[in-house]
Amino acid sequence: MLRLVGVAPSSWHRPPRDGERKRPGPTPQAIPTQIVQGVVAMATGNPWYGAKRIAVMRRRGGLAVTDRQAYRVMKVHKLLRQKRTRRAEVYQAAKLFELLRQAPNDRWQMDVTYIHIPGSGWRYAVTVIDYYSRYLLACCLTPSYSGHDVIHGLKLAREEAERIHGPLAKSPNLVTDNGPSFIARRFGAFVKDRFSHMRIQYRTPQQLGLLERFHRTLKEEEVYWQLYENPQHVRECLAVFRERYNTRRPHWSLAPSEGGDVLVPREVYAEGKEIRPPRWQSWAVAAQAKLEEMLTAA
């Protein structure tokens, strides 16, 4: 009939009538009760496995079950992996939420970047930034990136934090890479009782992404615009940049919790204005809420 009226059979679709199967073919055979019970028991006891693995495990136990039978049974009993509520994963995601910054001075990031001075060669900028507020605690020029020089930058950051907040109630969590200055014995001895020091994994600069992105801002908004005369000139320019970055430059990640334009780092770090979590952290916020709901129900 379709050919007579000029309609391609492959384009014809008719919704199934009442009681009619969606797909043609014989009606699937009923699965024996023994197989159903065996698959349900194995899938319930191993909720992290899919249908194929459950079928293999049952066959290894002496029960003749096909992959298709295991899939059908698990689908009917809602035991397929993607259909379950995975309490363990929700719990782990909620624990990760606790690792995110919650207030100023919870976590600092520290690194070193290069700056070239015509006629004087290379110098190094030691930078320390507060993870929560993006407040630039220190940005000092040093002749090297030895343990002694980075300790000097960290001392300046601590002095700035205590100038604003007074003596810190707890040791900030300090995150660095694995550069020679941060694995030096002198640096380790200095931070031992003053900070909770954590180094990122090797070859994973994204774990220090906040400070790596800041160095790009430092170069694009300061270093590449200047022709420095000498190291003292660099120090003066870095001081001006730091003041501008903290007090006048709006930061897109600092969206106020009550709405409105984004804030500058000083408003969050020194004035205590609240911000809402960025969108990329919404998974952690949702997981935390889900965990609290599950614990309440329990």
Side-chain angles (χ1 to χ4, degrees), residues 132-173:
Y132 179 82
S133 63
R134 275 44 173 189
Y135 187 84
L136 184 57
L137 292 162
C139 184
C140 65
L141 191 73
T142 60
S144 72
Y145 53 91
S146 65
H148 176 270
D149 288 328
V150 296
I151 288 174
H152 173 67
L154 191 55
K155 287 180 178 179
L156 295 178
R158 185 91 182 207
E159 291 174 2
E160 175 68 4
E162 293 182 345
R163 181 186 69 83
I164 296 175
H165 293 282
L168 301 182
K170 64 177 183 177
S171 300
N173 177 243

Side-chain angles (χ1 to χ4, degrees), residues 2-289:
L2 294 175
R3 292 190 181 93
L4 289 176
V5 297
V7 177
S10 60
S11 65
W12 173 258
H13 171 73
R14 176 180 61 81
R17 300 187 179 94
D18 294 340
E20 186 180 18
R21 296 182 65 241
K22 294 183 178 180
R23 294 183 179 181
T27 302
Q29 296 181 358
I31 300 176
T33 303
Q34 182 182 5
I35 292 179
V36 173
Q37 294 175 349
V39 171
V40 170
M42 183 65 71
T44 303
N46 301 271
W48 41 84
Y49 292 150
K52 289 186 177 180
R53 195 179 301 273
I54 294 296
V56 172
M57 295 172 67
R58 285 282 67 179
R59 289 196 292 268
R60 289 174 61 87
L63 182 63
V65 53
T66 65
D67 295 351
R68 183 176 294 274
Q69 287 176 330
Y71 177 83
R72 287 173 53 194
V73 172
M74 292 175 66
K75 183 177 181 179
V76 170
H77 291 81
K78 298 181 179 180
L79 293 173
L80 292 176
R81 185 167 52 184
Q82 63 270 25
K83 297 296 184 180
R84 292 194 305 273
T85 300
R86 291 170 284 190
R87 184 187 184 97
E89 293 185 1
V90 172
Y91 178 80
Q92 292 175 4
K95 293 290 103 178
L96 290 176
F97 172 78
E98 297 178 2
L99 297 178
L100 299 176
R101 79 291 183 276
Q102 304 293 325
N105 299 320
D106 273 356
R107 176 172 300 170
W108 294 356
Q109 288 191 0
M110 183 179 188
D111 202 2
V112 179
T113 189
Y114 300 83
I115 296 180
H116 185 262
I117 306 174
S120 299
W122 292 97
R123 294 293 188 274
Y124 307 90
V126 178
T127 55
V128 183
I129 197 168
D130 178 65
Y131 192 95
Y132 179 82
S133 63
R134 275 44 173 189
Y135 187 84
L136 184 57
L137 292 162
C139 184
C140 65
L141 191 73
T142 60
S144 72
Y145 53 91
S146 65
H148 176 270
D149 288 328
V150 296
I151 288 174
H152 173 67
L154 191 55
K155 287 180 178 179
L156 295 178
R158 185 91 182 207
E159 291 174 2
E160 175 68 4
E162 293 182 345
R163 181 186 69 83
I164 296 175
H165 293 282
L168 301 182
K170 64 177 183 177
S171 300
N173 177 243
L174 180 66
V175 183
T176 69
D177 59 16
N178 295 278
S181 54
F182 301 121
I183 63 176
R185 293 181 181 178
R186 175 180 293 182
F187 184 81
F190 176 79
V191 302
K192 181 178 180 181
D193 298 325
R194 298 176 176 87
F195 298 91
S196 175
H197 185 207
M198 178 176 63
R199 296 197 300 266
I200 64 175
Q201 295 179 346
Y202 284 93
R203 298 183 180 88
T204 55
Q206 62 271 18
Q207 293 184 356
L208 204 65
L210 172 64
L211 204 49
E212 297 289 354
R213 180 59 181 86
F214 166 75
H215 284 167
R216 174 181 167 184
T217 300
L218 173 64
K219 300 294 180 64
E220 292 181 345
E221 299 183 11
E222 166 59 30
V223 176
Y224 296 156
W225 287 83
Q226 300 286 354
L227 186 60
Y228 299 116
E229 300 174 0
N230 49 57
Q232 181 58 31
H233 183 212
V234 179
R235 293 186 180 93
E236 295 172 357
C237 291
L238 290 181
V240 173
F241 167 80
R242 179 175 170 274
E243 181 69 16
R244 180 175 72 249
Y245 182 88
N246 285 334
T247 62
R248 289 189 287 154
R249 183 185 185 275
H251 204 295
W252 296 120
S253 67
L254 302 180
S257 57
E258 67 275 6
D261 291 332
V262 294
L263 306 173
V264 300
R266 178 174 177 80
E267 291 178 312
V268 180
Y269 185 79
E271 301 176 14
K273 293 190 176 181
E274 295 184 359
I275 56 176
R276 61 175 180 266
R279 292 181 180 179
W280 65 267
Q281 290 181 2
S282 59
W283 58 269
V285 177
Q288 177 72 4

